[in-house]
Structure formats: structure tokens, C-alpha cells
Amino acid sequence: MIEIIDLVRSFNGQMVLDGVNLTAPKGEITVIIGKSGAGKSVLLKHVMGLLTPDRGRVLVDGVDITRARGRDLQELRRRCSVLFQGGALFDSLNVFDNVAFPLREKTGLGEGEIARRVADRLAQVHLSQDVAGKFPDELSGGMKKRVALARALIQEPEIVLFDEPVTGLDPPMSNTVFHLIAETHQENGYTGLMVSHDIPAVFQVAHRVAMLHLGRIIAWGTPAEIQRHEDPVVQNFLRGEVNFLEA
């Protein structure tokens, strides 16, 4: 579904992506891991079409998003959804209106159908209707993440991009959110591309894992294959060894 080919991007002369090659198979969740500052979120922004590479291509279902413009680009984005790192909920809107926002902006659905779909999505992320009238500042961190996930899924996207989906959560709540992502993927069958440094918790949702290091993908495979990988850089990262994190 997503293929990244020889992607290169630098900022002010500093190379961030130095020939990235990666495939995210259709119907699977592919997780990109790597230390902070490795360029994971920059890579995700290229898939969204928010950044243009210095060189290389990003194919979404065979279409090069780096060259798409106007209506073609909008059509590609219509098929995608994003779960942002901080949730990106609108503070001035309650939970119901936050989740309904994409439907009101992008569809001609009536309010009755919108209400039904919002209720279904809130139930899917294990939130009761009592939450619908609350505002983001009345929610816990975990509840905000679940609301953001419901909004990301409200239009039944083919592709969901996850940018550090459990940032700021404690380990038990992180596991809960990862479990919900796995549940919704099983129910909806979307293709997922996620960036995360939450090891080993992220392995519970990953079908494939790719490690980004020094601007390149240095390892790719199933979670089990990554955990057995012979590259010492991969093993040091998985163990959280200080000498690697300070490199």
C-alpha cells in the first residue's frame, strides 16, 4: 500500500533522511522505530504529503504522492487519516463535535447519521456516551488518545498514520491504547504506518518493524525477526543501552 523509494531530505545542510527505502504492506501495521531525532516524524510527513523530498518517491497504492497536485493529492489524502502525537483535539469543541468534525467538513451526511457514526466510534474505543458532552480539558490523557483515535477512524480510512500515539502516557495506559489500536485494526482492516520509540510495547500491534538510524532503514522484519536481529545497533536500541542513546 505504501512504498518509499530512495527518499532523501535535508534541512539547512543537515541530512535527516539519506536514501530511505521501506514497504508497508496492505492491511498490516508497519512500525518505524528509532531514537529521538532520527527523522521518524519527518518520514511520516512525507507520506502525508506535507513535506517534499530532495530526491526519491513515496507511492501510495501506486501513485507518487510527491508529484500529486490539486485534486489528485486531495483524493490520496481522503483515503488517509492521522492520529497525531498530542491528539490535536480542538479545545473549543466537545468530544462529540471533535469526532464529528471530519464528517461535517468532508461529507454531506445529515446530523442523525453523523450522531450514529460518532456513537459507534466512541463505543469502538470503549468510551460511553456520557463522555460525548465533555471538553478535552475535562479528559484524562488516555481518554484524549481514545477520542483522537475515534476521530481518526470516523471516515473509515484505508490508511491510518500514527505519530507517537502513546506519548505522555504511563505504561499501563500505553498498553491500553496499543491494545485498542490492535482491536480497531482487526475490525477495520486498514493499513497502518506508525512511528514510535515505545519498546517493547509497540510490538503488540506491529506486523512489521523497521528501524531508522542515521537516515536509513537498517533493519526490517517481523517483531520476532527484529528482536533476533544481529546488528549491534538494533540490539543496543532494543535494550536501551546508554552508549547507543548518547551516540
Side-chain angles (χ1 to χ4, degrees):
M1 178 62 78
I2 300 171
E3 187 175 7
I4 299 169
I5 304 169
D6 194 29
L7 198 70
V8 174
R9 187 62 154 90
S10 61
F11 296 92
N12 299 320
Q14 181 177 351
M15 189 66 68
V16 177
L17 303 177
D18 188 17
V20 172
N21 290 281
L22 176 65
T23 298
K26 184 175 183 178
E28 295 187 359
I29 295 178
T30 300
V31 178
I32 305 167
I33 62 173
K35 67 176 183 177
S36 297
K40 302 186 299 297
S41 293
V42 171
L43 183 58
L44 203 64
K45 287 177 181 177
H46 281 83
V47 179
M48 297 178 199
L50 298 177
L51 290 176
T52 302
D54 299 332
R55 187 176 75 244
R57 296 188 293 162
V58 179
L59 305 182
V60 178
D61 203 14
V63 178
D64 189 352
I65 197 169
T66 66
R67 292 174 170 80
R69 298 292 184 272
R71 185 173 298 177
D72 291 338
L73 181 59
Q74 291 302 316
E75 176 60 22
L76 285 171
R77 286 177 171 167
R78 184 192 63 79
R79 300 169 63 187
C80 301
S81 187
V82 183
L83 181 59
F84 297 96
Q85 185 173 142
L89 299 179
F90 298 108
D91 292 338
S92 60
L93 300 180
N94 64 24
V95 167
F96 180 93
D97 290 333
N98 263 285
V99 178
F101 185 83
L103 297 179
R104 288 173 172 157
E105 287 291 308
K106 300 294 184 180
T107 76
L109 294 174
E111 285 299 312
E113 178 62 16
I114 288 175
R116 185 189 69 78
R117 295 191 183 195
V118 170
D120 286 347
R121 287 304 178 203
L122 290 177
Q124 188 178 31
V125 298
H126 303 177
L127 289 174
S128 69
Q129 286 302 299
D130 295 339
V131 176
K134 293 182 180 294
F135 286 82
D137 63 359
E138 300 177 279
L139 305 177
S140 67
M143 292 174 73
K144 289 178 182 178
K145 298 286 188 181
R146 285 188 278 168
V147 173
L149 178 59
R151 186 178 62 183
L153 299 177
I154 193 67
Q155 288 189 273
E156 301 180 353
E158 297 175 52
I159 300 167
V160 182
L161 308 176
F162 300 88
D163 187 9
E164 300 283 9
V166 298
T167 295
L169 301 181
D170 58 35
M173 186 51 65
S174 294
N175 287 331
T176 297
V177 171
F178 279 136
H179 179 72
L180 279 174
I181 291 172
E183 270 190 5
T184 58
H185 175 265
Q186 186 174 16
E187 293 170 9
N188 299 95
Y190 53 78
T191 299
L193 184 62
M194 179 186 298
V195 300
S196 178
H197 61 268
D198 292 275
I199 306 297
V202 74
F203 291 153
Q204 68 180 283
V205 302
H207 296 92
R208 312 284 173 179
V209 179
M211 181 162 176
L212 184 64
H213 180 65
L214 298 180
R216 294 176 178 269
I217 300 296
I218 64 169
W220 186 88
T222 65
E225 289 169 341
I226 291 297
Q227 290 175 83
R228 295 194 303 266
H229 205 281
E230 295 180 354
D231 191 322
V233 173
V234 176
Q235 288 302 318
N236 287 347
F237 176 76
L238 295 181
R239 291 193 295 264
E241 293 191 355
V242 174
N243 61 342
F244 172 69
L245 294 176
E246 293 181 345

